[in-house]
Amino acid sequence: MTTSRSTFRTQRKVTTVRAAMIAAMACSVALGSGVAAQAQPATAPAPPATVQGDTVVPPGPTEASPKAADQGIAAPSIESAAPATTTYDPRTETIGYGPEQKNFLAGFLYSIVNPDVAPQGANDWNCKPSAAHPRPVVLLHGTWENAYNNFARMSPALKKEGYCIFAPNTGDQDSSALGQLESLRGTGPIAESAKEVATYIDAVLEATGASQVDIVGHSQGSLASRQYMRFEGGANPSDPSKNKVANIVSLGGSNHGTTLLGIGTLGRTINNLGLNVLGVVGAIAGPAASDQVVDSALVKGLEAGGDTEKGVAYTTIATRYDEVVTPYKTTFLVAGPGATVNNVTLQDGCEIDLSDHLSMSVSPRAIGIVKNALDPKGFPAKSIPCAFNSPITGQ
């Protein structure tokens, strides 16, 4: 069944105060991508944001950070962006394919005018898992990202390893002002996105004949996967052998919520991009953003039952330069009964990987860790590369 985006606009008119408080965070997840390939992490703290009542006002641009115009990056024409489709039919979540990208910003800009494309290698509904890789891999994007721009490098890399790859667009119900930009998904309540994930994974299992999938989630995608497991049928507590998911790999997951410490850096990044998205569509984030604040009802609900589910192997990947999930170690999980957790920091053993929250999804090292988590024997730890990856953009 296909539901128009205009229908959702009439259904959702109110955004919570807490959503507005982290609007800068939400915007940057999709848009903070204008630093040159040789950029280094800031050595000094970002200028603080101004708090006016319940609103966080990002600081203006500074000379310390490169401007998008200086990098030859042209702002996309929001007015001419192609409309996106919204559907609850898993097989039509995406239409066509975009090119492989090693640079997050390039993928983001491409998706502005091509909001429905899938990353290379994903969403082949005729794919049948091999004996070597019997579980399909489902990629879950973050807030203000989409299936394409979040996984434009990782999806083809996993496909080359022989996996069946699937990547939905979720949480795109236009529940915020920024959600009116069609390529920005992941705006709706995470609890509702988890229901979409449940429908999607059931369709993947039916199409492939597999008994389980593995999940790789970036940022919100990790929290949505845990919500799905706990409350939408992904886990079977009485018989973990019947879980629908075997492995969950998290990149910069907002697993325990985030503070507002990164707002200053994020606001500066947005302004320096020259995209002026805040001025175009308003600084109002959607419910998905407020769901990721420390002590939100959703975060509390998940923490009440422990971090993990029985029978699931978790790998959480963090970066020291994460400006969105702060402090960065809040992404880490604690193993409960019957589960395993491997908490990994990208820079441990590889200081030249300077990935931040955005660029970790295109980091060769992060992708190598994902491969190892999904298949430790087929892709041993010694095969995980150590390579330079810039904050914000990637390579």
Side-chain angles (χ1 to χ4, degrees):
M1 178 179 70
T2 301
T3 305
S4 69
R5 297 179 72 87
S6 61
T7 299
F8 287 120
R9 292 190 182 101
T10 64
Q11 294 174 339
R12 298 190 178 278
K13 297 296 183 182
V14 179
T15 303
T16 64
V17 170
R18 293 173 75 188
M21 289 178 63
I22 61 171
M25 179 192 79
C27 295
S28 82
V29 173
L31 302 172
S33 312
V35 178
Q38 298 301 316
Q40 302 291 320
T43 56
T50 301
V51 179
Q52 299 178 355
D54 292 318
T55 302
V56 176
V57 180
T62 70
E63 295 304 318
S65 180
K67 313 291 189 295
D70 297 337
Q71 309 302 313
I73 301 172
S77 174
I78 295 175
E79 291 77 11
S80 63
T85 60
T86 301
T87 173
Y88 287 122
D89 180 357
R91 292 174 180 265
T92 58
E93 278 290 343
T94 60
I95 303 173
Y97 295 91
E100 181 177 357
Q101 304 281 3
K102 296 182 179 180
N103 182 298
F104 179 86
L105 177 59
F108 172 76
L109 294 179
Y110 185 90
S111 70
I112 286 287
V113 293
N114 300 278
D116 288 323
V117 295
Q120 289 289 325
N123 299 349
D124 174 5
W125 290 91
N126 294 315
C127 185
K128 298 300 180 183
S130 65
H133 299 303
R135 294 182 301 274
V137 178
V138 176
L139 308 176
L140 300 180
H141 63 78
T143 311
W144 306 114
E145 296 173 305
N146 57 47
Y148 172 72
N149 62 36
N150 210 159
F151 299 110
R153 186 173 196 182
M154 186 177 298
S155 176
L158 294 178
K159 184 67 174 180
K160 290 176 183 177
E161 295 293 315
Y163 292 97
C164 290
I165 307 297
F166 295 88
N169 285 315
T170 60
D172 51 358
Q173 293 97 329
D174 282 349
S175 52
S176 68
L178 290 177
Q180 307 303 311
L181 186 56
E182 310 290 4
S183 64
L184 302 191
R185 319 284 185 140
T187 64
I190 293 176
E192 293 188 12
S193 293
K195 296 180 186 296
E196 294 181 52
V197 171
T199 299
Y200 192 87
I201 287 179
D202 282 350
V204 170
L205 292 174
E206 181 180 4
T208 60
S211 59
Q212 289 182 310
V213 303
D214 290 335
I215 292 176
V216 178
H218 178 242
S219 194
Q220 179 199 142
S222 176
L223 202 58
S225 70
R226 293 177 58 219
Q227 178 75 11
Y228 158 68
M229 295 296 289
R230 181 71 53 83
F231 299 112
E232 298 300 335
N236 188 325
S238 62
D239 186 356
S241 67
K242 295 181 180 179
N243 288 349
K244 295 180 181 179
V245 179
N247 294 283
I248 294 179
V249 186
S250 163
L251 291 90
S254 49
N255 288 313
H256 297 290
T258 180
T259 69
L260 299 179
L261 294 179
I263 291 295
T265 299
L266 303 183
R268 180 175 62 183
T269 300
I270 295 167
N271 288 331
N272 287 346
L273 274 173
L275 299 179
N276 194 28
V277 172
L278 293 177
V280 173
V281 292
I284 301 175
S290 61
D291 281 343
Q292 294 171 86
V293 176
V294 171
D295 290 335
S296 73
L298 184 130
V299 169
K300 286 182 177 179
L302 287 171
E303 290 182 343
D307 289 352
T308 61
E309 308 297 333
K310 293 179 180 179
V312 179
Y314 296 81
T315 300
T316 62
I317 306 171
T319 172
R320 295 176 193 163
Y321 306 116
D322 198 319
E323 76 282 51
V324 175
V325 174
T326 57
Y328 77 89
K329 288 186 178 180
T330 59
T331 192
F332 290 153
L333 300 173
V334 176
T340 63
V341 171
N342 182 24
N343 293 317
V344 183
T345 300
L346 276 179
Q347 289 75 31
D348 287 351
C350 187
E351 295 293 340
I352 62 173
D353 189 325
L354 305 178
S355 301
D356 71 338
H357 188 79
L358 297 170
S359 65
M360 68 187 306
S361 66
V362 295
S363 160
R365 184 166 180 81
I367 293 172
I369 295 171
V370 170
K371 291 178 181 179
N372 173 253
L374 297 177
D375 183 10
K377 293 183 179 180
F379 196 90
K382 65 181 182 180
S383 298
I384 299 172
C386 176
F388 173 80
N389 200 57
S390 171
I392 311 299
T393 57
Q395 295 185 329

